[in-house]
């Protein structure tokens, strides 16, 4: 019995020795915070850029040498995301870990080609890249983008991405574009996927326009980081086909129930004094109502009602909307009308140009079918959506004017 | 078989009746106690007035009260008249003794034995006065609200402390003698019409079956009667608080007391007894439960914080938020050891400080302990031997371990902590979870005198609902059903 | 003290919820979604409905023939020879199911958390833990299950709560997925994913009294059904119909998906701990019950000594299949299909024999 016990103990000890396979000390790992994917030289290869955080920058614990760069950029060629890390290890001393990746940059060039979807398949297979990671389409090469992106306030890249992505989706100028959503929409084979659009290269021919009619790169600004997040890249069946500007992106977000939208800062034309504009905070408290009346033959009717609230923040024309009911009515009508116009234009564009919708509305028609087969045969993208009869109603149910009752009378001030 | 026979022989050799002649008896006692070289063994021979016979008094001078001896025995014998010796001696307890075995025992326990010439009965008079300290504050189980008295090393004082708290005619103090050479008394205190007969019998049998020359005190007794001497967790509660002991007696538990120990044993016991502190009940409902939550968290932290740290940072680094991760990584870049070794190093260092802190002479203790720990940690970090977060982790696990009041449980937890650290270093959370589950199952399979360790939570019994949390006092209707008291109802409901 | 059987309803519930409820987090979901896509949660409903009558029939029989567990009942009704044969068949089927299932869990652990480690060493550790756990006896298993259960279930429902923001109700449609016929045939064919309910009756006499089993198993059946359907539905609502069939372990995909705010973004290890304890406990229970079946069939009184050889065989046979996909999509599916008629028809057969023998009237 005693011998048996000892031999069991011995075999247990040998088992103890097996436990080193997945053990990696923290300092033996290199933490990638962002991955950039570009088109490779050959067909179906990619140039993968890893942005690796430098742990010694910004942590006061040991006070490491502060003249080191906050991150290291590594670009390698690869056929998918995972095996490329092995290649990168030929010149990175540490084990490259993708667990902490915050964002996946894709160059517009690659996004517009077919090989993008193929590359993304690999990303879904590994558990290292999370489904919550956002896809950002960059106008230029991703490497150039990451290199040029020099935030002044947030030297540590992961912090920058965390805050930047969070804030810009909150304001609604870019959509949330997680890998998870990408796969849902792409595999669902209906609807369009919207991805964040960003660039570091400003355009010279700055178009005049409303604050949010820009796409990234067009925003006139001085100082600060050259990076701009604005607008959305439109993907159809895993391939980028167009870019929506900031305003269109907002409309798409308002119309889509599956995306979070906190509150949007928007400007409208002042309905009374057309020289000026009115700035407001638009928020949607209730869900957008989408009613679908599916007809097998003939156009399907889609009725959409968007309830929203507006808090007026600035009235440069100084027209007293607060106290005049008529003025308020006018403002309401004008705001609703303006939104409706943009929305109609977007729907029209989607129906005619894209042949699919960016609002994820195909889910509302599913309840009309019993099986997937029927649903797929009805074909949202080709048959239902392009011929659908879409009416959109914006319904402002509340208007508020902030904490000031009246604006100061400028005439009197200048007197 | 063999020890049994031997035992009988021994008994017979002492089972010698008392002779009528004093001189014979005197000679024999002199032999038994080696009177010539045993300096504090005293004999006083006088002639009693009432019978005009020679009388000899035997006692240990160091353990009897001299004043009592003179006033209660010697003076009455010299002066008083009466029918027999029992009438002459005025002290409160006087017993007849017929064999030398009893004589020896009585002298050893601080009584004076009076031999009379021409009488084959000796008389034993209790004039014992063992030296002891007074009742002091409880040192190891201190509380803020509630009684502060603690047991002392004197059996009678201890029993009086318990009786003071629980006035019940059924509170029984049963005495058993253990030990071959030095006969010691074990006192079992229980409430006769509450305690479960089977458990009582079980405890008695265990006490009777002790075959040892000498069981000096409760601490040794605990090891003699426990079921699993090799087990990692204790199965008997050791407490120095009479109020705690009284509250257990009231619930139908059995309390064991002995001379020479400033504490008592409570049997049978469950996990919850080690988790609770008497103060939980003295505090109001909400406050008591708040301390319970805090203590539960402390239990968890002290057992797991180091092992979880090892597991997560060596196997599951994705779990750590990026800011913290980068901070730890940058701190670790200059540390020469693998992370698990770092943790073990500091844990062992902490244990060393703790052990030294206990053994260190009193005046030096506190300063050396704290300063040593601080300086050690600080210096180790500065010399890049360990990373600063380890100091944090180990300090946390060390500090919280003090929330586990019971000395034995404290050791169990500290040893378990090392087991878990090794487990975590082996296959991360996979093996840590496995180890924890097996640890938990081991605990669940334990029984203390037939009572499952996690009862009355599971297996379930009627109980006052006093496991992790407690109810308000008014709602405690039942006694703990897991010890199967004869009367389970604690309070009549209206 | 007076009795060894101290377990009550709550422990039985805990055992059922762990033994069967853990199915929601393994690849059972993936197996069904292969066939019915977003409507695969209905398959579970069908399977439950198929399993319900035989299970209740068995409970009825057990109540009639007091103080007999499954194997004793079979032998009592079918006679020694046929009874032994039937018992042995049940043992073989459930043991085979357990082997494939355990391999499945091991692959899950390996793929998601220990990609570099060899399957064999994880398998050995897993089964070793199960063996040592089962060795502590049925009472300990029940007690531990009850103590650990709240933590496991809270973590799982916490996950469900966190993910609620991500679901889209309309993904439930088209309601019948790949067709009602697919759902019905699959549901009936795979009814044996609930064979555990039949296996569990081997422990009929292991509780404080048999009323506890009668009541507890019915409550357990209801709770488990609710839990499974709820979670399977949740997966379908989070992943669209085309994505769900691509996922092998939807539960873990969800754990990788959720985050607690912006700071704790990768929290799967947190959920993994609770899932792992549930998985360990599931196989501890499984191993113990199978040893019990074997013990009763072959009259081995000390059936706890069988745990070691059974555990060892599990590892050895479990390692034979090449990879997780073959294991799950081919072997396990086939085995489930084969064993369904056995588990469904057995209670009916027993009932008929009892009826013919006239045993039912007498009692």
């Amino acid at each position: 019995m005693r011998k048996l016990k000892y031999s069991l103990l011995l075999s247990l000890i040998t088992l103890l020795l097996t436990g080193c396979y997945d053990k990696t000390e923290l300092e033996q790992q290199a933490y990638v915070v962002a991955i950039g994917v570009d088109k490779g030289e050959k067909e179906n290869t990619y140039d993968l850029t890893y942005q690796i955080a430098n742990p010694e920058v910004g942590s006061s614990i040991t006070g490491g040498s502060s003249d080191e760069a906050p991150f290291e950029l590594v670009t390698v060629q690869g056929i998918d995301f995972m095996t490329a890390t092995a290649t990168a290890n030929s010149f990175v001393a540490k084990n490259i870990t993708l667990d902490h990746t915050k964002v996946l940059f894709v160059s517009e060039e690659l996004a517009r080609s077919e090989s993008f979807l193929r590359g993304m398949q690999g990303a879904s297979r590994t558990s290292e890249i999370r489904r919550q990671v956002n896809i950002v389409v960059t106008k230029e090469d991703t490497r150039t983008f990451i290199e040029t992106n020099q935030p002044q306030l947030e030297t540590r890249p992961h912090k920058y991405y965390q805050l930047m992505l969070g804030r810009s989706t909150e304001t609604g100028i870019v959509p949330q574009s997680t890998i998870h959503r990408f796969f849902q929409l792409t595999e669902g084979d209906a609807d369009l996927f919207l991805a964040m659009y960003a660039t570091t290269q400003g355009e010279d021919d700055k178009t005049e326009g409303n604050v949010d009619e820009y796409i990234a790169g067009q925003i006139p600004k001085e100082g600060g980081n050259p990076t701009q997040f604005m607008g959305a890249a439109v993907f159809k069946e895993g391939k980028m086909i167009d870019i929506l500007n900031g305003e269109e992106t907002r409309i798409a977000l308002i119309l889509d129930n599956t995306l979070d939208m906190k509150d949007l800062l928007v400007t409208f034309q002042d309905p009374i004094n057309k020289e000026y504009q009115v700035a407001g905070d638009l928020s949607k408290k209730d869900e957008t109502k989408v009613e679908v009346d599916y007809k097998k033959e003939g156009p399907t009717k889609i009725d959409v009602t968007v309830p929203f609230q507006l808090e007026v923040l600035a009235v440069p024309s100084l027209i007293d909307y607060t106290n005049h009911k008529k003025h308020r009515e006018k403002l309401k009508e004008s705001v609703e009308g303006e939104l409706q116009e943009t929305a109609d234009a977007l729907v029209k564009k989607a129906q005619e140009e894209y042949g699919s919708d960016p609002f994820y509305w195909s889910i509302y028609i599913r309840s009309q079918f019993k099986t997937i087969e029927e649903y797929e045969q009805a074909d949202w993208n080709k048959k239902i959506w392009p011929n659908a009869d879409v009416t959109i109603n914006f319904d402002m149910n509340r208007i508020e004017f902030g904490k000031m009752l009246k604006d100061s009378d400028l005439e009197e001030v200048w007197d | 078989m063999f020890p049994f026979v031997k035992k009988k022989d021994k008994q017979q050799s002492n089972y010698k009746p008392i002779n009528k002649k004093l001189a014979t008896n005197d000679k024999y006692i002199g032999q038994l106690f080696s009177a010539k070289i045993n300096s504090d063994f005293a004999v006083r021979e006088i002639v009693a007035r009432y019978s005009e016979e020679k009388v000899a008094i035997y006692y240990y001078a160091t353990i009897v009260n001299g004043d009592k001896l003179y006033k209660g025995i010697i003076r009455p014998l010299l002066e008083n008249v009466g029918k027999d010796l029992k009438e002459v001696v005025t002290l409160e307890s006087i017993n007849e003794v017929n064999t030398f075995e009893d004589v020896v025992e009585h002298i050893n326990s601080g009584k004076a034995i009076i031999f009379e010439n021409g009488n084959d009965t000796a008389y034993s008079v209790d004039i014992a006065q063992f030296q002891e300290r007074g009742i002091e504050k409880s040192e190891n189980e201190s509380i803020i609200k509630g009684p502060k008295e603690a047991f002392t090393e004197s059996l009678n004082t201890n029993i009086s402390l318990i009786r003071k708290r629980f006035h019940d005619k059924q509170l029984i103090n049963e005495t058993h003698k253990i030990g071959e050479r030095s006969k010691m008394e074990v006192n079992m205190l229980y409430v006769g019409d509450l305690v479960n007969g089977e458990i009582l019998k079980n405890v008695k049998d265990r006490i009777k079956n002790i075959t040892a020359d000498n069981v000096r005190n409760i601490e040794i007794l605990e090891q003699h009667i426990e079921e699993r001497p090799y087990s990692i967790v204790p199965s008997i509660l050791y407490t120095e608080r009479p109020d705690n002991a009284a509250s257990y007696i009231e619930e139908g538990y059995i309390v064991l007391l002995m001379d020479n120990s400033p504490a008592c044993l409570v049997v049978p016991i469950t996990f919850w007894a080690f988790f609770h502190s008497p103060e939980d009940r003295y505090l109001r409902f909400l406050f008591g439960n708040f301390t319970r939550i805090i203590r539960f968290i402390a239990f968890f932290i002290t057992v797991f914080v180091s092992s979880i740290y090892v597991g997560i940072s060596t196997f599951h680094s994705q779990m750590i938020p990026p800011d913290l991760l980068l901070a730890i990584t940058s701190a670790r870049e200059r540390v020469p050891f693998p992370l698990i070794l770092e943790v073990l190093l500091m844990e062992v260092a902490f244990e060393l400080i703790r052990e030294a802190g206990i053994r260190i002479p009193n005046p030096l203790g506190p300063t050396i302990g704290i300063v040593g720990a601080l300086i050690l940690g600080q210096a180790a970090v500065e010399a890049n031997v360990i990373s600063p977060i380890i100091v944090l982790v180990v300090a946390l696990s060390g500090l919280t371990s003090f929330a586990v009041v019971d000395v034995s449980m404290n050791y169990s937890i500290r040893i378990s902590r090392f087991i878990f650290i090794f487990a975590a270093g082996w296959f991360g959370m996979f093996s840590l979870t496995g180890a924890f589950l097996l640890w938990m199952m081991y605990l669940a399979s334990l029984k203390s005198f037939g009572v499952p360790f996690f009862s009355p939570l599971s297996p379930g019994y009627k109980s006052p609902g006093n496991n992790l949390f407690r109810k308000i006092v008014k709602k405690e209707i039942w006694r703990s059903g897991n010890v199967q008291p004869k009367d389970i109802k604690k309070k009549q409901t209206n | 003290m007076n009795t060894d059987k101290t377990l009550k309803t709550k422990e039985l519930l805990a055992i059922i919820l762990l033994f069967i409820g853990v199915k929601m987090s393994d690849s059972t979901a993936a197996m069904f979604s292969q066939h019915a896509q977003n409507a695969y949660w209905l398959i579970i409903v069908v399977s439950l409905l198929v399993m319900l009558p035989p299970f209740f029939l068995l409970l009825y029989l057990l109540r009639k023939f007091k103080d007999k567990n499954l194997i004793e009942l079979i032998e009592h009704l079918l006679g020694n020879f046929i009874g032994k044969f039937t018992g042995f068949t049940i043992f073989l089927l459930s043991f085979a199911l357990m082997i494939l299932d355990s391999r499945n869990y091991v692959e899950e652990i390996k793929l998601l958390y220990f990609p570099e480690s060899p399957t064999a060493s994880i398998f050995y550790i897993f089964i070793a833990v199960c063996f040592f756990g089962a060795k502590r006896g049925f009472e300990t298993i029940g007690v531990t299950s009850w103590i650990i259960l709240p933590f496991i279930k809270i973590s799982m429902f916490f996950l469900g709560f966190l993910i609620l923001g991500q679901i889209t109700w309309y993904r439930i449609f088209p309601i019948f997925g790949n067709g009602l016929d697919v759902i019905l045939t699959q549901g009936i064919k795979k009814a044996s994913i609930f064979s555990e309910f039949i296996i569990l009756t081997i422990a009929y006499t292991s509780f404080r009294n048999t009323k506890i089993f009668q009541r507890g198993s019915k409550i357990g059946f209801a709770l488990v059904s609710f839990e499974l359907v709820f979670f399977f539905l949740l997966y379908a609502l989070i992943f669209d119909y085309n994505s769900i069939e691509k996922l092998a372990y939807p539960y873990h995909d969800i754990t990788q998906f959720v985050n607690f705010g912006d700071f704790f973004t990768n929290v799967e290890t947190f959920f993994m701990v609770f899932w792992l304890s549930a998985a360990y406990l599931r196989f501890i229970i499984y191993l113990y019950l199978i040893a019990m079946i074997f013990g009763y069939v072959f009259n081995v009184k000390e059936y706890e000594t069988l745990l070691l050889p059974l555990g060892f065989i599990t590892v050895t046979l479990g390692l034979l299949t090449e990879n997780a996909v073959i294991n799950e999509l081919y072997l396990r599916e086939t085995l489930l299909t084969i064993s369904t008629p056995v588990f469904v028809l057995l209670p009916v057969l027993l009932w008929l024999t009892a009826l013919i023998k006239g045993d039912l009237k007498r009692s």
Side-chain angles (χ1 to χ4, degrees), chain B residues 290-307:
Chain B
F290 178 71
T291 55
R292 288 262 175 102
I293 296 179
I294 298 295
R295 203 172 311 130
F296 181 72
I297 296 171
F299 250 78
F300 180 81
I301 289 178
T302 189
V303 178
F304 287 115
V305 73
S306 320
S307 50

Side-chain angles (χ1 to χ4, degrees), chain A residues 19 23 27 56 94 158-159, chain B residues 317 323 330 332-333 425-426:
Chain A
K23 190 182 226 160
E27 71 277 11
E56 294 196 12
K94 296 170 169 183
H158 71 270
K159 205 79 192 169
Chain B
S317 61
D323 288 306
S330 76
R332 268 198 55 77
E333 288 201 328
W426 185 30

